[in-house]
Amino acid sequence: MNTKNIFFVLLFLFILVFIGNVYGDKTVEELRKDISNINTDSSYSEPGQIQRTHLSWLYGKDTYNSNPNVNKFTYEVKSFLENFMTLDKKRIDNVNSSEEILRNASDLKSIISQMEETYNYNLRSDEDKQSIIEIIKLSKSGLIKMLKDTGSFFEEKADNEKITIKKIELLENALECYNTTTSIGGNIPEELNKKVSETKNNFYKDIEKARNSVNEGERYYNETLNNRQLATIKKAIEKYHIAISIYKKHNIQMLSNSEKYKGYYGAYIDATYKMNKANKLENELQTSFYMFVGICAIILITIFSAIFKGLLAYKRDEEKMKITKIFR
């Protein structure tokens, strides 16, 4: 035997040993017990169907033999069912587990890919390959249903969410759920794509407008410090008011406890702070203006009073002169 042949024989033996170590060398009887012991009591029909189909496939094998390919595929089916059932239980017991389902969906997809790979490279010649195809088909169907339900949950939650940036996050989660299904036969609702796009575009346009308004307000505020004109500070207040109205429109003020979105809340607080400063400056200018008007009014009143008194004195003197002339 030449060196090349020896190498391939050793490689083949290594692969067999590796597969045996990773997936075990259980007999078919042991594999049946592994699959039978999985609790597939679910709101979805697929786990139970996968379990029954796989057991039926195993019953066609020699009970006491150990086959690396059968071990490998059974290990993958078992991993899928256990992971699926864990997520399904969390979905039922805890409405807040949707994020976890979304995070773990890729793991379930990977297991399905492994199952397909095992079929294509190791089990395509199996006598009952239709059962294998059915198991893979059912696995995809179950995952698609779970992700669709999770996507619907995110959509419903988004409809009731008042804070726009959180609504966007929920809609994007829903979109990701549907998007995850596309490679295994699912699809994305057409309306959802449009909804996510419109909500995001409107929000980010508004936020940009708010930021620009704050910058313009700051420019008018600084001008007021130099020219001390009420008209200029009123423009600053108007710009700050526009920004604050936009932030309130999207309920940014409700993000005070959010670490993730503290940047948006910080921008709202900054606009509010600058608005208060502008209002204070306006009050100072108004006070100065009223004081100026008051002083001018006092001066004018004093002047007019003096003139009026002078006129009265002149009139009295004139009357006295007339009386004096008569008596003469």
Side-chain angles (χ1 to χ4, degrees):
M1 185 180 290
N2 60 38
T3 306
K4 188 176 180 181
N5 289 337
I6 292 172
F7 171 77
F8 282 114
V9 169
L10 291 173
L11 180 63
F12 177 71
L13 290 172
F14 172 78
I15 290 171
L16 287 179
V17 171
F18 178 77
I19 291 173
N21 288 335
V22 174
Y23 301 106
D25 55 355
K26 295 182 177 181
T27 64
V28 171
E29 182 63 29
E30 289 172 323
L31 295 178
R32 286 178 195 160
K33 288 180 181 178
D34 283 348
I35 297 298
S36 297
N37 288 336
I38 300 172
N39 180 6
T40 57
D41 185 15
S42 169
S43 54
Y44 301 107
S45 61
E46 282 80 3
Q49 290 178 280
I50 292 169
Q51 186 181 49
R52 290 189 294 273
T53 305
H54 193 75
L55 286 172
S56 175
W57 178 69
L58 287 174
Y59 275 115
K61 310 297 176 192
D62 188 339
T63 304
Y64 300 105
N65 276 348
S66 173
N67 184 316
N69 295 327
V70 173
N71 268 261
K72 184 175 186 297
F73 188 68
T74 302
Y75 173 84
E76 290 159 356
V77 172
K78 181 185 176 188
S79 296
F80 179 84
L81 286 175
E82 287 176 341
N83 280 278
F84 186 93
M85 293 309 300
T86 297
L87 289 179
D88 189 37
K89 188 175 187 309
K90 287 181 179 179
R91 182 183 67 85
I92 294 169
D93 294 344
N94 182 7
V95 294
N96 297 315
S97 65
S98 298
E99 288 82 0
E100 188 173 350
I101 292 172
L102 182 56
R103 285 195 304 270
N104 288 279
S106 57
D107 293 336
L108 286 170
K109 272 183 68 177
S110 295
I111 295 171
I112 293 173
S113 296
Q114 290 169 11
M115 289 160 65
E116 289 180 314
E117 189 175 319
T118 301
Y119 165 67
N120 288 324
Y121 291 100
N122 306 105
L123 295 170
R124 190 170 276 275
S125 60
D126 190 90
E127 291 179 2
D128 189 15
K129 65 181 182 181
Q130 287 304 316
S131 293
I132 300 171
I133 294 169
E134 181 66 13
I135 289 167
I136 294 171
K137 181 182 175 182
L138 287 167
S139 299
K140 290 179 180 180
S141 174
L143 183 55
I144 288 171
K145 285 181 181 179
M146 180 180 280
L147 284 169
K148 279 186 175 180
D149 286 346
T150 306
S152 296
F153 171 81
F154 281 126
E155 282 190 86
E156 186 178 342
K157 200 171 178 182
D159 289 338
N160 296 319
E161 180 56 62
K162 294 180 180 179
I163 304 172
T164 308
I165 189 62
K166 287 190 174 182
K167 180 190 287 286
I168 290 171
E169 182 183 14
L170 290 166
L171 288 173
E172 285 182 330
N173 283 347
L175 189 61
E176 189 178 346
C177 284
Y178 293 115
N179 190 51
T180 304
T181 70
T182 55
S183 61
I184 54 174
N187 55 65
I188 301 173
E190 188 177 336
E191 281 300 312
L192 180 60
N193 258 327
K194 183 180 177 183
K195 191 175 184 179
V196 172
S197 179
E198 287 180 352
T199 306
K200 286 175 70 175
N201 287 340
N202 291 336
F203 175 73
Y204 290 120
K205 279 181 183 177
D206 280 352
I207 292 299
E208 185 64 23
K209 183 179 178 181
R211 287 170 179 162
N212 290 336
S213 293
V214 170
N215 290 336
E216 289 178 30
E218 196 163 11
R219 180 168 60 82
Y220 283 124
Y221 178 85
N222 291 330
E223 281 183 23
T224 307
L225 293 176
N226 294 321
N227 63 30
R228 310 294 293 179
Q229 291 183 8
L230 273 169
T232 311
I233 196 61
K234 285 184 183 297
K235 287 180 181 178
I237 291 170
E238 181 184 348
K239 294 298 180 182
Y240 291 139
H241 178 72
I242 289 171
I244 292 169
S245 296
I246 289 171
Y247 288 132
K248 286 187 175 180
K249 170 187 172 184
H250 295 288
N251 288 307
I252 300 298
Q253 74 279 7
M254 296 171 68
L255 289 169
S256 58
N257 296 320
S258 173
E259 182 66 23
K260 185 175 183 179
Y261 299 115
K262 63 181 180 180
Y264 290 109
Y265 182 72
Y268 162 74
I269 291 298
D270 180 60
T272 305
Y273 171 73
K274 288 175 178 176
M275 171 78 129
N276 291 336
K277 272 178 60 178
N279 283 329
K280 185 178 178 181
L281 182 56
E282 182 189 34
N283 290 335
E284 289 175 4
L285 292 176
Q286 283 179 336
T287 301
S288 298
F289 174 74
Y290 292 142
M291 285 180 66
F292 174 75
V293 170
I295 291 168
C296 288
I298 290 170
I299 292 171
L300 287 173
I301 289 170
T302 302
I303 292 171
F304 282 120
S305 294
I307 292 171
F308 183 70
K309 286 179 181 179
L311 288 173
L312 285 177
Y314 173 78
K315 200 166 184 180
R316 281 197 302 270
D317 290 343
E318 191 177 26
E319 289 294 325
K320 284 180 181 179
M321 287 178 65
K322 286 179 181 179
I323 293 169
T324 303
K325 285 179 180 180
I326 292 170
F327 283 103
R328 281 181 185 177

